Amino acid sequence: MLDLIDPSIELTSVFIQSDHIILESIQMSYCQQISHEFTPVITQYMFPKPPVIVEETAQFISESLTRMQKRKELVVVIKKKENREFLGCCGFYSKESPTTPEFGIWIKKDAHGNKYGSEAINILRHWAIENIDFDYAIYPVDTANIASRKIAESLGGVVIKEKEDFELA
């Protein structure tokens, strides 16, 4: 569970903005955009695989909203501030321990190279520091994913351990 400093914060209605982007709580209205943009190219270095049918995305959103109501995670969509264009998703998850939650992010292919990922993680990190009680955050990243590694490194992240994951056939 994410231990919110202000218990009145409703995770299903978070709105955070910076100079270039807006983060707002995921909603079912983003189902088509997420399903369309969460492609094999995007998930190359990720554990979740792209949805085969849009109903899989709807299930993900529904489960995310339930976990957000239970204060276990925050999942937000990333939008360009100037025109509200959908850019991707990011989140803050209480995986193994509420005192060491994890960040996660993906940006749609057409928006790569604009530093939206760095900006999104940075403003989500600042929001989390102000609103959630935790020891430190983890940003799991595949060492081959240079762009994602740069996000962590730009925020002062350091490698604390490496692990190998195996997929069973």
Side-chain angles (χ1 to χ4, degrees), residues 26-41:
I26 196 167
Q27 299 297 325
M28 200 57 74
S29 59
Y30 293 103
C31 187
Q32 290 291 338
Q33 291 169 302
I34 293 169
S35 187
H36 177 73
E37 299 293 351
F38 197 63
T39 65
V41 170

Side-chain angles (χ1 to χ4, degrees), residues 68-129:
M68 288 164 63
Q69 289 168 346
K70 292 179 179 178
R71 303 168 92 73
K72 292 184 179 283
E73 68 184 31
L74 172 62
V75 180
V76 294
V77 294
I78 307 163
K79 299 189 308 186
K80 195 183 292 186
K81 188 174 180 179
E82 70 182 48
N83 61 7
R84 305 299 199 261
E85 174 189 348
F86 174 83
L87 299 172
C89 293
C90 67
F92 199 61
Y93 310 90
S94 180
K95 293 264 188 187
E96 312 234 344
S97 165
T99 62
T100 58
E102 293 183 7
F103 285 104
I105 189 166
W106 65 269
I107 301 290
K108 70 179 184 175
K109 180 70 173 146
D110 291 349
H112 284 188
N114 294 295
K115 305 224 182 272
Y116 295 129
S118 291
E119 190 169 349
I121 291 294
N122 192 31
I123 64 173
L124 183 58
R125 181 179 136 244
H126 283 291
W127 183 91
I129 289 168

Side-chain angles (χ1 to χ4, degrees), residues 40-49 140-146 148:
V41 170
I42 297 304
T43 62
Q44 177 180 359
Y45 298 109
M46 298 172 67
F47 171 69
K49 296 304 171 204
V141 60
D142 187 308
T143 55
N145 187 345
I146 304 301
S148 198

Side-chain angles (χ1 to χ4, degrees), residues 96 102 140 161-166:
E96 312 234 344
E102 293 183 7
K161 73 177 176 180
E162 292 187 37
K163 67 178 186 176
E164 292 186 34
D165 289 332
F166 297 93

